């Protein structure tokens, strides 16, 4: 008769009892797997005295009380500083409104003085042929510098971002489907350049005149034209021969980009001919240097 047993210290010896079962030596690992059903760590914890568990509970309660005290202190400090924060916000908002009002007043005064200077210049130069020639040259230079308002026929290009979706991720670096903003600065730049190539004589974007040193650039999730923020829908006015411009612009890379955005992201694109388009004067730039033309 053979049975599975533990380690028999007399196994392998010559002396044995007649009829006694033969014990097969079992390694200690296998024996522990068959006989011990409790992990040693749990067994040690079970053998630990009850006072140790009580001490652990005390420390847990103390830690919870400390965390609660920290949160209570932070809440009380936030509550105490909230009036000061609101007051600071109100002061900053009032300062911004005051600066905007001052800027608007200075702009009106500057425009008025510029009109007086222009009127005085014309009255003094219009008296002879040389003066009239100078006035003509000056008008051409001002038109090229976009410092005079323009009214005339041309094209109106309106670009509208799609509706707000579930994903409001800022896409200043890339386009995300369903995001708030799809049109980027490079899209408007391409449209403006395509309109210039199509024969436009003057262009404005979002009510801001495009001229020398005027940039269209991204600032976070917004677009700035000459450092002035614009928002969707983006209205681009281009004064020039409308039919010739429309034929060329229809084949331009700028309109092709808009059509691709229209089909891919649901951007609204509208191109229409118009008469009497009004473009404002651009910002007056500081004169950095000048040279007097001499004989060649």
């Amino acid at each position: 008769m053979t049975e599975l047993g533990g380690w028999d210290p007399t196994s392998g010896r010559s002396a044995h009892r007649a009829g006694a079962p033969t014990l097969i030596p079992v390694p200690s690992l296998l024996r522990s797997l068959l006989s011990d059903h409790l992990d040693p760590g749990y067994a040690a914890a079970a053998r630990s005295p009850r006072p140790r568990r009580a001490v652990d509970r005390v420390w847990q309660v103390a830690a919870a009380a400390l965390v609660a005290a920290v949160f209570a202190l932070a809440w009380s400090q936030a509550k105490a500083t909230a009036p000061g924060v609101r007051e600071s916000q109100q002061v900053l908002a009032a300062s911004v409104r005051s600066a905007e009002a001052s800027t608007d007043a200075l702009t009106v005064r500057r425009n008025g003085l510029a009109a007086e200077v222009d009127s005085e210049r014309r009255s003094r130069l219009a008296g002879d042929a040389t003066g009239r020639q100078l006035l003509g040259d000056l008008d051409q230079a001002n038109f090229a510098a976009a410092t005079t308002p323009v009214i005339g026929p041309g094209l109106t290009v309106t670009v509208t971002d799609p509706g707000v979706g579930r994903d409001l991720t800022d896409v200043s670096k890339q386009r995300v489907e369903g995001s708030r903003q799809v049109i980027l600065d490079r899209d408007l730049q391409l449209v403006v350049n395509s309109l210039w190539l199509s024969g436009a004589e003057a262009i404005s974007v979002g009510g801001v005149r495009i001229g020398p040193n005027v940039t269209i650039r991204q600032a976070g999730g917004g677009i700035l034209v000459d450092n002035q923020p614009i928002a969707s829908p983006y209205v681009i006015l281009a004064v020039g021969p409308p039919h010739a411009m429309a034929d060329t612009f229809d084949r331009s890379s700028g309109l092709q980009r808009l059509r691709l955005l229209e089909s891919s992201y649901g951007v609204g694109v509208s191109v229409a001919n118009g008469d009497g388009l009004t473009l404002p004067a651009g910002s007056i730039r500081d004169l950095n240097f000048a040279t007097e033309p001499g004989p060649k």
Side-chain angles (χ1 to χ4, degrees):
M1 180 177 179
T2 302
E3 294 181 358
L4 180 63
W7 179 263
D8 184 6
T10 64
S11 177
R13 297 181 180 178
S14 59
H16 63 278
R17 292 178 300 166
T22 302
L23 300 178
I24 301 175
V26 180
S28 59
L29 177 60
L30 181 58
R31 184 172 64 252
S32 65
L33 290 176
L34 295 175
S35 59
D36 298 335
H37 304 290
L38 187 64
D39 185 89
Y42 288 102
R47 292 192 301 268
S48 63
R50 292 183 178 274
R52 176 63 181 176
R53 297 180 181 178
V55 172
D56 292 342
R57 291 194 186 98
V58 170
W59 280 109
Q60 292 174 359
V61 172
L66 179 60
V67 171
V70 171
F71 277 103
L73 180 61
W75 179 81
S76 62
Q77 289 181 347
K79 185 177 180 180
T81 58
V85 172
R86 287 193 296 268
E87 183 178 357
S88 299
Q89 292 175 345
Q90 294 174 358
V91 171
L92 289 175
S95 177
V96 170
R97 288 192 294 268
S98 176
E100 290 177 346
S102 177
T103 300
D104 294 340
L106 291 175
T107 300
V108 171
R109 177 171 173 78
R110 182 203 64 189
N111 293 340
L113 293 175
E116 292 180 6
V117 171
D118 183 70
S119 177
E120 183 68 19
R121 181 192 300 117
R122 291 185 178 278
S123 65
R124 290 178 178 273
L125 295 179
D128 54 49
T130 303
R132 289 191 292 272
Q133 179 64 36
L134 290 175
L135 285 176
D137 296 340
L138 184 60
D139 290 340
Q140 292 181 2
N142 288 334
F143 182 79
T147 58
T148 56
V150 175
I151 299 177
L155 294 180
T156 300
V157 181
T158 305
V159 184
T160 307
D161 271 319
V164 177
R166 291 174 297 176
D167 184 4
L168 302 182
T169 305
D170 182 353
V171 288
S172 59
K173 301 299 182 184
Q174 59 183 353
R175 295 186 175 91
V176 178
E177 185 176 359
S179 63
R180 181 188 297 270
Q181 184 187 26
V182 173
I183 299 299
L184 306 181
D185 52 358
R186 58 178 176 266
D187 302 318
L188 299 183
Q189 293 169 5
L190 184 58
V191 172
V192 169
N193 290 334
S194 297
L195 288 172
W196 287 126
L197 293 175
S198 299
E201 300 173 3
I203 298 176
S204 68
V205 178
V208 182
R209 183 73 173 273
I210 302 299
N213 298 326
V214 172
T215 59
I216 302 174
R217 61 184 181 88
Q218 199 83 23
I223 295 179
L224 301 180
V225 180
D226 199 19
N227 291 325
Q228 300 183 39
I230 62 173
S232 177
Y234 306 103
V235 179
I236 305 172
L237 303 180
V239 171
H243 298 292
M245 287 174 55
D247 292 340
T248 306
F249 184 68
D250 189 60
R251 302 186 301 270
S252 67
S253 58
L255 186 58
Q256 291 176 5
R257 169 76 69 84
L258 294 182
R259 295 304 184 193
L260 178 61
L261 296 177
E262 182 181 32
S263 60
S264 301
Y265 297 95
V267 171
V269 180
S270 173
V271 181
N273 296 349
D275 294 326
L277 302 182
T278 302
L279 278 62
S283 301
I284 299 176
R285 304 295 176 181
D286 295 333
L287 185 63
N288 296 323
F289 63 90
T291 58
E292 181 178 358
K296 297 181 179 179

